Amino acid sequence: MSGIVLDRVSVRVPVDGSPTPKTLLQRVSLSLTERRIGVIGANGSGKSTLLRLLNGLVAPSDGSVMVDGADTARAVREVRRRVGFVFTDPLSQLVMPTGREDVELSLRRSIRNATARRAHAEAVLDRFGLLPLADQSIYELSGGERQLLALAAVLAVDPEVLVLDEPSTLLDLRNRELLRRTLAGLRQQIILSTHDLELAMDMDRVLVVDAGQVVFDGGPSAAVAHYRELSAASLPSAGINLGRPGDGLAGERVAGAWQDRLDKR
C-alpha cells in the first residue's frame, strides 16, 4: 500500500485585480494509507485541489506532499507513475479519436514495441468489456463507456494509487453502479471525491472538506452525518417573506402586485 503524506499544505492562487491571493487549502496535514478513501464537501470547498495535489497537478504554496517518499513538486514524473488521475469529465482526458488509440498512447512510454503495445491495450480494454468498442469514436460512446475508457487508459500503466475527481457526476444509475463495482474490484488504493453519498459509504475513511480545511476525518457513516449537518446549517431560513402593506417598500410592492391581480379578476 502506498503512503501519501501531506504536511501543513496550503494552496494559494492569484486573483485578477487583487493584491491578495485566494486560499484554496489551508494547512492540511494528512497521512493517507487506507485502501479506500473518500472526500466529500460542497462545490468550491477545496476537494478537487486536495486531490490534484496527490499527483502533482497542483503544487503546494506551503508545506509538502510526499508519495512513498517522493516529493510531488520535485519528482513529478515518478509520482505520476505511481498515482493515476481520472477527471470528472472523461472528454477532458481522452485525447485520441478511439479507445484503442487512447490506451495505446498511455502505454507508449512503457512498451516500446508497437505489436506488444497493441496486444496489451486490447487486454486492458477486454478487461473492462470495452474491446468491441475499441475502434469507435469516443464521441459515439455513452457517458458510462467514456468513463470506463478513461479509467482503463489510466489503469493500463498499473499505478499504485488511483485518484478520481467526482467520477460518478455524469453517470446514470446503471453506469454509476457499474463504476462502483469496478472500483470495488481494483487492487489499487482508491482516493476519490464525490457528491454521491452512497459511493462515499463504500469507503474505509472519509474526509469532509469545508472552506479549504479538512473539518472531519473518520468513518463513512460519521463523516456523511457531519456533512449533512454542515450543509443543513448553511441553508437559508425556510419560507419566503411575501410582505404586507406597511412592511416596508419591498412588502408594499409585493402586496400592491397581489392587489393589482385581484382587481383584474
Side-chain angles (χ1 to χ4, degrees):
M1 184 68 67
S2 297
I4 301 178
V5 178
L6 291 80
D7 182 22
R8 294 168 291 181
V9 173
S10 295
V11 176
R12 294 182 295 275
V13 294
V15 178
D16 289 341
S18 173
T20 305
K22 181 179 181 180
T23 299
L24 303 181
L25 282 179
Q26 186 172 358
R27 295 184 65 81
V28 173
S29 293
L30 295 166
S31 178
L32 304 176
T33 57
E34 289 78 6
R35 185 168 178 267
R36 298 287 185 266
I37 300 174
V39 182
I40 58 179
N43 290 335
S45 62
K47 302 189 307 298
S48 292
T49 301
L50 176 60
L51 263 59
R52 292 178 185 220
L53 283 165
L54 306 184
N55 80 329
L57 286 170
V58 170
S61 303
D62 297 311
S64 63
V65 182
M66 310 293 286
V67 178
D68 285 346
D71 191 316
T72 60
R74 296 185 176 89
V76 177
R77 182 173 293 181
E78 180 182 352
V79 166
R80 290 184 182 171
R81 280 199 299 266
R82 299 183 187 189
V83 183
F85 196 100
V86 179
F87 291 86
T88 304
D89 183 357
L91 286 179
S92 66
Q93 185 163 347
L94 300 172
V95 297
M96 301 299 287
T98 68
R100 185 192 302 275
E101 292 170 289
D102 211 279
V103 175
E104 286 187 19
L105 178 65
S106 295
L107 295 166
R108 186 168 295 178
R109 187 182 299 275
S110 57
I111 303 178
R112 299 291 185 179
N113 180 272
T115 302
R117 186 165 63 241
R118 170 149 294 200
H120 190 87
E122 289 183 352
V124 171
L125 289 165
D126 190 46
R127 174 188 176 191
F128 288 93
L130 295 171
L131 190 55
L133 307 174
D135 297 310
Q136 285 191 27
S137 166
I138 60 172
Y139 296 101
E140 296 174 356
L141 303 179
S142 70
E145 290 164 346
R146 288 174 188 162
Q147 191 65 279
L148 280 179
L149 179 57
L151 186 58
V154 171
L155 290 174
V157 296
D158 200 27
E160 291 298 314
V161 183
L162 184 64
V163 178
L164 305 100
D165 190 6
E166 299 185 17
S168 63
T169 295
L170 302 178
L171 302 184
D172 59 22
L173 180 60
R174 177 185 178 277
N175 284 305
R176 186 188 69 177
E177 291 305 308
L178 179 59
L179 175 70
R180 288 177 68 183
R181 294 183 186 186
T182 301
L183 294 180
L186 295 178
R187 70 162 189 84
Q188 279 81 4
Q189 181 186 23
I190 303 291
I191 303 173
L192 60 83
S193 66
T194 185
H195 289 297
D196 182 346
L197 299 185
E198 288 186 29
L199 183 56
M201 292 296 291
D202 292 342
M203 303 295 107
D204 303 314
R205 173 184 176 188
V206 176
L207 313 174
V208 181
V209 180
D210 184 59
Q213 296 180 304
V214 176
V215 297
F216 188 92
D217 180 355
S221 296
V224 167
H226 185 89
Y227 178 47
R228 289 186 186 279
E229 291 175 3
L230 193 66
S231 299
S234 66
L235 290 173
S237 299
I240 301 174
N241 182 11
L242 296 176
R244 294 180 181 277
D247 287 347
L249 183 59
E252 290 176 6
R253 285 175 177 168
V254 173
W258 276 25
Q259 188 61 53
D260 182 62
R261 292 182 64 184
L262 289 171
D263 291 342
K264 291 179 179 178
R265 290 188 175 183

